[in-house]
Amino acid sequence: PALFIAANTAWDAGDLKQAFSLLFRSAALGNVSSQLDLGYFFDQGLSVKVDKRKALEWYYRAYKQGEAGAANNIATIYREWGDSKKMLWWFRRAASMGDLDTLLELGKRYETGSDVPRSRKKAEEHYRRVLLSPLANEDDKARASERLAGLSQ
């Protein structure tokens, strides 16, 4: 955890090269948070050239250790690549792991029929899971409540 903390300190200070170096070392040692963040560096091109394949590799390592956010990020890359089938598979994995952003994303997709059959019932189920999650903050709950209210109209 010391390398991860040092990496975040460097990142917060704007020293992306140092943050990347520390994250890489920590991720290679198996730190799941560092693996997720390193994937993000490759995904967004922070201090390195954008490399979605390397981002996927690091996200996958984090996912294999139980990081739901990594599954969400993998889905997002497949969405960017236009691969709806893989995108939905990974979004569903992230949702099954309790990722709140993914629950909201899937709720919206079911609400609008985007890449999935339109289903008010499934949209409602996803929004309610956010509201019932002990991990949901007030913003998450407000977004889920707003979407639910929209379903009622």
Side-chain angles (χ1 to χ4, degrees), residues 101-151:
D101 289 333
T102 303
L103 289 169
L104 288 165
E105 174 73 21
L106 283 173
K108 286 185 246 179
R109 287 184 175 279
Y110 282 113
E111 184 179 339
T112 63
S114 177
D115 294 312
V116 295
R118 192 173 186 162
S119 171
R120 182 182 184 278
K121 181 182 177 188
K122 286 187 179 184
E124 188 175 310
E125 288 171 9
H126 283 82
Y127 298 143
R128 290 201 185 285
R129 282 183 60 195
V130 173
L131 292 174
L132 294 172
S133 172
L135 302 175
N137 61 34
E138 292 306 313
D139 184 53
D140 296 325
K141 290 179 181 181
R143 290 188 297 160
S145 293
E146 184 178 307
R147 300 304 298 203
L148 273 171
L151 289 175

Side-chain angles (χ1 to χ4, degrees), residues 38-39 42 51-59:
L38 190 61
F42 281 113
D51 189 331
K52 299 292 184 176
R53 298 229 179 263
K54 283 186 181 175
L56 282 174
E57 289 174 25
W58 287 106
Y59 288 151

